[in-house]
Each structure stands twice: as structure tokens, then as C-alpha cells.
Amino acid sequence: MNNHINTFLDRYIQDPDPRYAVAITGKWGSGKTYFVESWLSRLNRSFEVTNDESIVLKPISISLYGLKNTREVVTAINRELYPMLYSKGAQTIKKIFKVVGKVTLNSNFDFDNDGNEDSSFSISLDSLGLFKSNDKIIGGDKFLIFDDFERSSINQKELFGFINWFIEKAHCHVLIVGDFSRLEAKDKSMFDEFREKTIGRILEISPELDSAVHSFIQEPSCHQWFLDKKDLICRCFNTTTNHNLRILRQSIRDFNGILDQSCNYLNSTNGTIKSDSTFLKAFFSCFILIFTLYHDKEWKGVIEYYTNKYFYKQSDQDDPIKEKISTLQNQCQNISNFINYNVLDTDFIRNIVLFLEGKSTLVDFVEAKLKKESLKPSDLDRLSLYQNLEDNEFNEIYDRIEKGIINLEIEDLYELGRYIDLFLLFNELKLHLIKDDVLIKVKEKLHLKMKACESAEAIHNIKSKFIRGCKYTHPDTAARYSLIQEINQLAAKLCYQVPNRMQYILRNLNDSSVQQLEIIEKEQVPGDISTYEDISIFENEKSKEVFDALQRMLNSGRQIFNFFLRRHYNLDYALDIDADKKYGKDLTFLKELKHLIDTKLKYLNYGPTLLSYSWLSDTIKLSIETITGKGIS
């Protein structure tokens, strides 16, 4: 794809005095540096040094990233030149000194190769003079590559003048590499002027995914497992529409690290992970997809929504984020079909996100999955690959699972959801009709499980496990959507009959439990996408019961409750313009509680107890004013 750039650079390097620079541009991560390094590695074959009486210059590549002035650039150039000089004897160094005039080198030399230090050399090299010299003692190509051009901190006018000196005065070949579209407006204008005068050609790199992936998986540290995965990697990366090859390389290297830590425990032979592991191929595909998308700010939010909130908002069909998720699911369907495994498994995504956030190594997760895969395939595993089953085997497994569902024998709710997901899919594809008894028994099972729960969180967990399984395959079906809606409604109804964690604490308030309020309010409300800190938490509470609990508490406990109220209603921060929407349903409770506290204050004359109730009254008053947006009488 970029062969024309190779051809042009080959011609450029052969021109003895081009008097112009060449620029290579492309988006970050498109492979600019990799392309130049590949071209140089081929070019460098001709730089065989056979004459000890001269120095043969090789192309010098300098990254301008973070450099602040041209002195730092010269230092970077010298750092590349020194190894070329250190390989020479003292006589050659002296000749270079005469030609260039100024040298700075600190090194020890063994002139007669007897293993003993004969002299300590401390001379100074003027590298600019070295490039400008036409003496035959200095051979090779005077070729400089300035990479990361747009990320330099050097004054642009100074930098352009510096580079131009190498072209006009030293007659060097110069290659400038960078994403010039990222230059600021003032620098862009100056660059355009520089380009007209000094840059003879700007060449744009097109990401070469195939060759880049080939080089990534051939790196010495990479497991053999990757060698036959090039096509899979390309499929996944193309699905993301991302062109940043640097991110792709990092995803492969990170996954390689996971294999490094896991291969002693997993489905392996002599330490080599089996190449045909269906799970590992699917998980690796998901890893590339999520790793790449997570580096995009827009997609990062979508992925977080997908893993944390997607299953709680079933009724909002016009949600743009859900549409984006649906598009991603459709785009990944061909990869799932290619592997015969759902690559967008929500458990995969959730664990990968934890890895990206530094909260998991993924080793335990991968080990457990691969160990399970090494066992005899379960009915669920076999039925999931229904395309490969013969009719009699398919019907035998289906009938066995159907019987288990109707007899309420399947205890794992995620597994139950997976089975129903498949049954509904088969019904849609007309592979096997689903019996009404199956769905009736599933609802009965879930109802019994949720009704036995003592907290809203437990109900929510049961519902979530089932729905995660039920939403395993894609695309969606109307029957599945209807079932999930019904389960959500059932869970919501039962949640009103038991307290959530916040309600439980408020109804059992004491000096010990009050300390948990700050922790719990950061948690997600069961069946909702909000946390407790953003909702009305006293709507269903009785002010007299809370007041009685406050009276039984020590002054320190009342202080903790007071501080909690201040944090919950954001009283110590800027005005919350949405306070009425968030906390409006708390008003009745707060007014009643304030009245009870103010009544008690009439009978308190002095001491810390008076102060604790007085502060509570003031905090509740300010809370009411914050919610209503006005003072109270």
C-alpha cells in the first residue's frame, strides 16, 4: 500500500544534493515510525564499515517529542553519533578532530588491544561541523530523520531554521515525520511557509494493517499461539474502524502478558497453549475490540453503559447509546459466527474493563474459563453450537433441558437465562418451537427466588443474572424483549415490598449503622441507573422513627448523621440546580423531622447535646432551602 513511498525514499537517498526535505505524515498510531524504521532496516544493509581510517555515517533518527530547544536536539544527535566514533581508533579520532575542529567525547581507549587502558580521551565534537564537512574521511549518507514533529516544544521558527541549516548549509538529506494536522493554528501557518520553501514532497502513510499485525505477532516475546491469529486480529481491528496501530500492538502485548501468567495452569501441552481453544479465540477477539474502543472517549462511555446499565433500561427504545450498542453487536456478529462464540459476552467485557482500570489481572478469569473448556462440553456448550449438531443430537439435548426447566431443576439463573435465550432464538429461526409451559415455569422460578429475598439488592442480583444470560445472543427478538420487560416489572414490584440497603440502615439507625450511610449512598440503586446520592432517600421513611433513633444515639452519632445530610444534599458545594428534581420527594420528611427536633430544642438549655440538635436543625433548614430554592419560615 505504501510501496510508492518506499520507491520515492530510495530515489531521494540516492540524490547527492537534493536541497529539499521530505515529509511523511499520517494520524497518530498509523505506523509512520514503524514504516520509517522498516525502510531504514532495509537501507542499512548497505552500511558495511570496512575502512578503519574513516567514519561512515548512518541515518540518524531523532524524536522531537518533548524537546524544548535546538540544543537538546544537538545533544540527541551527538548521542547517536558517539557509538560511530567510539568504534574508531585514536588516529581516526584525531583526523576527525582536525577536520571538524571541535570534539567533546569522554571515553577510555585501549589502543593496542592488550586489555589495559592506554589513554583517557576527553575531547569535544561539533556535530554540526561534522555534517557540514566535505572531507573524504567522513563517508556514508548525511541523513537526519526528525520524528514526532508536531509534539515538539521548540519554538517553530527556531526549529525550522535549525532544520533548514542541515538542508541548505550541510547539504543533508532530511526526513520530517509527524501528524501535521495536529499543529496549532499559528504553527500551521508557519509550517505552510516552511513547506513551500524547504519541503519538496509530503507523503501520507496509509496504515498497513496486514504487515503491521504480521510484525507484531512475530516479535520475540510473543507466544506461538498468536502465529495463526493474524486474520482474526485484522477482522476485529477493522470492526472498530480505528486506525491507531500503536493501540492494536499494545492490546496484543497486554494479552500476551496474560498468557505469560496463565500458561502453566491452563489447557496446555508442555507449556504451549492450545491454538484451537474456542474460548480463548473469542476472549482475545473481545479483548482487541474493547481495548481499542476504550481508548476512544465516546466509546468508553458506551462500554461502561453496556456493562453497568444496559440491562436496567429495557423500555427506552430510542436511547442513542443503545442504538450504538446494537450497531456494534451487528458489526461483531460476523466475528462471532466465524468463531462460533459470542465475542461480546458481557462477562468478557466487564472483566476486560476491570483489567483496563487496573482492578484485575484477568489471569484467574482466563484460567477458570479454560479449565472449564478442557472438561467434557456441557449441554449448554453443545447447544450453543447448534449449527454443528445433527438433528437427533439437537433434539435430544433440547428435550433434556426443556424437562429440567419445567421441573424447576436448573438453579443457576445465568445458565437458565442462556437456555431461554437459545430457546427463543430457535423459536425465531423455526428450529424448534418453545412451549408456553417453559416460559411460565421460568417466571415461576424467578418469582419464587425473588420473593424469598430479604433485600431489594438481592432481588436485583437475581434479575440481573437471568437477564445477562437471556441477552447473550444477538440480534434481539420481540419475544425476548417482552419476557425481559415482564421480569423487570416483577422485580420492581417486589423491590417495593422489601427495603433496599439504604432503607434498612435508616430503619435501624444507631451509633454503629449511621457510619455506613456515607458508603452506601455511593452504591447503585437496585433496578435503577442512579446512585443513592442522587435520589430522594427519605421518601418512604417515617420521620418519627428516625427522630426516635436519633434520640437514642450519642452526640457523636448525631454529628455523623448531620455530616451525612450535608454531603447528601451538597450543602458545602455550589448550588445544585437539579436539587428539586433529585430530592423533592424528601421535603415532607425533612419538614416533619425539623419540627420534631425544634420541639425538643425548647427543652434543652445547654451542653453538647443542645449543640448536636441545633446543628441538625440548621442543616435540615438549609437542605429544605436548597431543594425549594427559597428560605422557610
Side-chain angles (χ1 to χ4, degrees):
M1 188 181 298
N2 295 310
N3 287 337
H4 65 292
I5 302 180
N6 273 309
T7 302
F8 184 87
L9 291 178
D10 287 345
R11 290 202 311 269
Y12 176 68
I13 193 66
Q14 292 169 9
D15 188 336
D17 188 15
R19 298 295 182 98
Y20 67 88
V22 175
I24 290 183
T25 190
K27 294 182 178 179
W28 284 357
S30 61
K32 300 184 295 295
T33 301
Y34 169 74
F35 174 84
V36 172
E37 288 174 351
S38 299
W39 177 74
L40 284 176
S41 66
R42 179 171 56 82
L43 182 70
N44 277 346
R45 294 175 190 170
S46 63
F47 290 107
E48 298 292 336
V49 181
T50 59
N51 183 4
D52 285 337
E53 298 302 317
S54 64
I55 179 171
V56 178
L57 295 175
K58 297 181 181 182
I60 292 177
S61 182
I62 301 298
S63 172
L64 298 176
Y65 188 16
L67 299 188
K68 301 179 179 61
N69 52 61
T70 54
R71 290 191 303 278
E72 293 185 359
V73 182
V74 172
T75 299
I77 292 173
N78 288 342
R79 194 177 297 120
E80 296 296 317
L81 282 172
Y82 288 173
M84 303 180 201
L85 296 174
Y86 283 159
S87 64
K88 301 299 171 182
Q91 295 302 317
T92 305
I93 295 292
K94 289 178 180 179
K95 290 179 182 179
I96 295 172
F97 181 82
K98 290 178 181 179
V99 170
V100 176
K102 181 185 177 184
V103 180
T104 293
L105 275 174
N106 295 308
S107 184
N108 299 322
F109 288 92
D110 178 12
F111 297 131
D112 54 7
N113 297 315
D114 64 355
N116 297 316
E117 180 181 311
D118 295 316
S119 176
S120 179
F121 231 63
S122 180
I123 53 179
S124 181
L125 170 67
D126 177 2
S127 58
L128 303 191
L130 186 69
F131 283 105
K132 191 175 180 181
S133 172
N134 293 318
D135 196 284
K136 292 181 180 180
I137 195 174
I138 300 172
D141 285 317
K142 301 172 183 177
F143 187 13
L144 291 108
I145 300 159
F146 296 101
D147 200 355
D148 298 311
F149 184 86
E150 77 284 6
R151 296 198 279 188
S152 163
S153 300
I154 304 172
N155 175 276
Q156 292 290 293
K157 189 173 182 179
E158 178 186 357
L159 180 59
F160 292 144
F162 179 79
I163 293 175
N164 189 63
W165 182 92
F166 286 97
I167 299 165
E168 295 290 339
K169 303 297 183 182
H171 305 290
C172 294
H173 297 80
V174 172
L175 185 61
I176 302 171
V177 183
D179 183 357
F180 307 127
S181 66
R182 290 183 177 268
L183 292 172
E184 296 182 6
K186 61 177 182 178
D187 294 335
K188 184 71 167 58
S189 176
M190 195 175 297
F191 176 77
D192 289 340
E193 294 180 13
F194 176 70
R195 178 183 61 186
E196 292 177 10
K197 177 183 177 184
T198 308
I199 299 177
R201 187 78 171 269
I202 295 183
L203 305 165
E204 184 165 359
I205 286 286
S206 298
E208 291 187 331
L209 180 60
D210 191 78
S211 61
V213 171
H214 179 77
S215 70
F216 297 161
I217 62 179
Q218 292 287 340
E219 292 181 357
S221 60
C222 256
H223 274 274
Q224 294 290 311
W225 184 83
F226 291 98
L227 292 181
D228 63 348
K229 304 299 184 298
K230 186 175 78 171
D231 289 345
L232 178 61
I233 294 170
C234 291
R235 279 175 184 255
C236 295
F237 193 65
N238 280 329
T239 299
T240 68
T241 67
N242 189 304
H243 301 295
N244 195 323
L245 296 175
R246 189 178 292 113
I247 291 177
L248 174 60
R249 179 174 182 264
Q250 189 59 51
S251 71
I252 295 172
R253 289 172 70 86
D254 279 10
F255 198 83
N256 186 67
I258 296 168
L259 297 186
D260 271 340
Q261 298 175 68
S262 307
C263 66
N264 291 329
Y265 304 93
L266 304 182
N267 192 13
S268 60
T269 303
N270 297 325
T272 303
I273 295 174
K274 291 176 67 175
S275 178
D276 61 352
S277 165
T278 302
F279 155 72
L280 204 56
K281 286 188 287 188
F283 187 61
F284 178 51
S285 301
C286 186
F287 190 85
I288 292 175
L289 290 163
I290 301 305
F291 191 103
T292 305
L293 293 173
Y294 208 69
H295 283 77
D296 182 308
K297 290 182 180 179
E298 180 182 356
W299 270 105
K300 182 177 180 181
V302 172
I303 292 168
E304 290 172 343
Y305 181 99
Y306 186 79
T307 54
N308 296 324
K309 304 172 183 177
Y310 185 45
F311 304 111
Y312 312 142
K313 292 183 68 177
Q314 301 298 326
S315 60
D316 191 355
Q317 290 296 293
D318 298 324
D319 189 333
I321 296 184
K322 291 185 73 174
E323 290 179 11
K324 205 170 180 71
I325 290 172
S326 179
T327 300
L328 177 63
Q329 291 169 343
N330 292 332
Q331 289 173 339
C332 292
Q333 191 61 46
N334 68 324
I335 303 174
S336 297
N337 292 339
F338 178 67
I339 302 175
N340 272 333
Y341 204 115
N342 177 25
V343 300
L344 287 183
D345 185 311
T346 50
D347 282 341
F348 286 7
I349 298 173
R350 187 175 294 106
N351 279 279
I352 291 168
V353 169
L354 289 174
F355 172 82
L356 295 173
E357 292 176 347
K359 299 176 182 177
S360 167
T361 65
L362 281 179
V363 175
D364 291 341
F365 178 77
V366 171
E367 286 179 8
K369 290 289 186 179
L370 277 170
K371 285 177 181 176
K372 182 179 179 181
E373 187 182 49
S374 67
L375 302 174
K376 183 180 178 180
S378 66
D379 282 347
L380 180 58
D381 295 329
R382 294 165 68 196
L383 200 62
S384 297
L385 298 175
Y386 59 92
Q387 305 96 321
N388 302 330
L389 298 176
E390 297 301 322
D391 289 353
N392 61 338
E393 187 181 7
F394 173 82
N395 289 324
E396 178 189 340
I397 298 172
Y398 189 101
D399 292 344
R400 184 163 57 248
I401 295 170
E402 181 182 71
K403 182 180 178 180
I405 294 174
I406 291 175
N407 293 335
L408 304 180
E409 295 172 353
I410 300 176
E411 292 298 323
D412 189 311
L413 297 180
Y414 174 76
E415 186 176 300
L416 180 62
R418 286 284 306 277
Y419 283 132
I420 294 303
D421 178 40
L422 287 169
F423 277 26
L424 291 172
L425 178 63
F426 299 155
N427 190 75
E428 187 81 9
L429 297 174
K430 302 191 183 323
L431 294 178
H432 201 300
L433 296 181
I434 188 170
K435 293 180 181 179
D436 290 340
D437 280 355
V438 169
L439 296 179
I440 290 172
K441 287 296 183 178
V442 165
K443 296 172 193 174
E444 180 183 334
K445 179 83 171 181
L446 291 169
H447 186 268
L448 289 172
K449 286 278 189 181
M450 290 190 281
K451 195 172 182 180
C453 293
E454 297 181 355
S455 71
E457 281 78 10
I459 292 173
H460 170 68
N461 289 336
I462 288 172
K463 177 197 74 170
S464 297
K465 283 181 181 179
F466 175 79
I467 291 179
R468 280 205 306 274
C470 197
K471 291 182 68 67
Y472 188 84
T473 60
H474 306 288
D476 207 348
T477 63
R480 182 174 66 179
Y481 176 78
S482 177
L483 174 64
I484 290 174
Q485 283 288 86
E486 197 169 338
I487 299 302
N488 272 323
Q489 291 167 4
L490 173 63
K493 179 180 178 180
L494 291 174
C495 276
Y496 279 113
Q497 300 174 13
V498 293
N500 57 42
R501 292 235 303 155
M502 178 62 76
Q503 290 170 334
Y504 181 83
I505 293 296
L506 292 175
R507 293 169 192 179
N508 295 275
L509 205 58
N510 56 47
D511 289 305
S512 176
S513 63
V514 71
Q515 300 177 48
Q516 298 297 313
L517 290 174
E518 182 182 0
I519 298 172
I520 293 174
E521 77 161 349
K522 302 290 184 183
E523 297 176 1
Q524 191 167 303
V525 181
D528 199 345
I529 63 173
S530 304
T531 57
Y532 288 108
E533 60 187 342
D534 290 323
I535 67 167
S536 299
I537 58 173
F538 295 108
E539 176 187 3
N540 299 310
E541 304 311 306
K542 297 177 180 179
S543 57
K544 181 64 168 59
E545 291 182 1
V546 172
F547 175 70
D548 290 343
L550 289 171
Q551 290 192 98
R552 292 192 294 270
M553 291 163 62
L554 299 173
N555 289 330
S556 59
R558 281 190 288 273
Q559 281 290 71
I560 293 172
F561 186 74
N562 178 52
F563 292 145
F564 167 72
L565 291 180
R566 296 193 69 85
R567 281 190 297 268
H568 183 71
Y569 296 113
N570 300 307
L571 303 185
D572 297 321
Y573 302 94
L575 180 65
D576 189 345
I577 58 174
D578 294 323
D580 181 42
K581 295 178 182 178
K582 292 180 182 179
Y583 313 121
K585 295 177 181 178
D586 282 347
L587 279 174
T588 299
F589 172 90
L590 291 172
K591 290 177 179 179
E592 290 176 354
L593 182 60
K594 184 177 188 305
H595 175 73
L596 291 169
I597 291 173
D598 288 347
T599 300
K600 184 174 182 67
L601 281 170
K602 294 177 181 178
Y603 301 97
L604 296 173
N605 297 319
Y606 58 87
T609 300
L610 170 65
L611 192 61
S612 70
Y613 280 105
S614 178
W615 282 353
L616 258 178
S617 177
D618 291 343
T619 293
I620 296 172
K621 177 177 181 291
L622 187 55
S623 301
I624 295 171
E625 291 174 350
T626 297
I627 296 171
T628 60
K630 58 185 179 181
I632 60 173
S633 57

